[in-house]
Amino acid sequence: ADYARYAGDIAHAGRHLLGLVDDLADLQNIERPGFKAAADQIDLGDLARRAVGLLGMKAEEKCIRIDAPRLDDKMPATGEFRRVLQVLLNLLGNAIRYSPENSQIWIRVDREGDRAMVTVADQGQGIAADQQAVVFERLGRTDSGGSGLGLYIARRLARAMDGDLTVDSAPGQGARFTLSLPARDA
């Protein structure tokens, strides 16, 4: 039993280090002059459901329910498939990390004019107004065990796809992160 626990600790540490290396590689890529993401035709509803599929077990471990877009919730957009999924995994992973046990996370797709949007909302502790601008900066290591680069990279990726990543939150009221990208007709 002790060896199994040690092996689990080593595997967890290995995954953590791999995540840090991935963040640093992404950081190097997005800070290159002229970095531009591909302009794939994507469906934000599909990508949101894929993110839930990949992180659903992590949410279940904390008894967190994820209310994902329905199969018929389609939101055609333009953005790099892999990069949009990466942003959504970051947003959903953060929502799971900062949400209390037995809570809920909502993911919604919407369209406003020429912008397609996907919002990830949680019931976590929320973010004070003075901290909302800071969450998208290069922070370095955080107390949550991450690299502190996730939201910085996510926003840079969103902007490289002619989109944006914003937050709406208040202490004690959770957080709502919205990724917006150029919409396209179905």
Side-chain angles (χ1 to χ4, degrees), residues 35-42 44 47 77-87 157-158 160-162 179 181-182:
F35 171 79
K36 193 75 174 159
D40 302 329
Q41 293 186 2
I42 59 170
L44 291 178
L47 284 166
T78 301
E80 186 173 333
F81 180 93
R82 182 175 70 89
R83 298 298 191 171
V84 173
L85 183 58
Q86 178 181 351
V87 170
L157 289 172
M161 294 182 282
D162 298 321
L179 169 65
L181 293 169

Side-chain angles (χ1 to χ4, degrees), residues 59-65 99-105 123:
E60 284 181 24
E61 290 172 3
K62 288 183 70 176
C63 299
I64 295 173
R65 184 175 168 275
S99 291
E101 289 189 5
N102 301 306
S103 63
Q104 185 169 354
I105 295 170
Q123 294 179 308

Side-chain angles (χ1 to χ4, degrees), residues 13 18-19 27 29-30 50 66 68 70 75 91 98 131 140-141 143 148 158 162 185:
L18 183 59
L27 185 62
N29 283 332
I30 64 173
R50 288 174 188 251
I66 301 175
R70 296 182 320 267
M75 189 53 53
L91 297 179
Y98 293 109
Q131 292 297 307
R141 189 148 172 79
D143 60 353
D162 298 321
D185 295 321

Side-chain angles (χ1 to χ4, degrees), residues 67 91 106 123 148 157 164 183-184:
D67 186 3
L91 297 179
W106 296 267
Q123 294 179 308
L157 289 172
D164 204 0
R184 64 177 180 80

Side-chain angles (χ1 to χ4, degrees), residues 107-176:
I107 305 175
R108 296 288 180 264
V109 293
D110 197 11
R111 181 173 176 157
E112 283 185 17
D114 65 348
R115 309 308 290 169
M117 297 172 295
V118 58
T119 299
V120 178
D122 64 50
Q123 294 179 308
Q125 62 196 24
I127 304 167
D130 63 325
Q131 292 297 307
Q132 290 180 29
V134 181
V135 298
F136 295 111
E137 294 178 4
R138 281 174 66 171
L139 301 177
R141 189 148 172 79
T142 66
D143 60 353
S144 67
S147 68
L149 297 172
L151 289 174
Y152 172 77
I153 291 169
R155 179 177 258 182
R156 290 287 302 258
L157 289 172
R159 290 179 174 173
M161 294 182 282
D162 298 321
D164 204 0
L165 180 60
T166 59
V167 63
D168 179 32
S169 183
Q173 296 183 9
R176 292 170 36 100

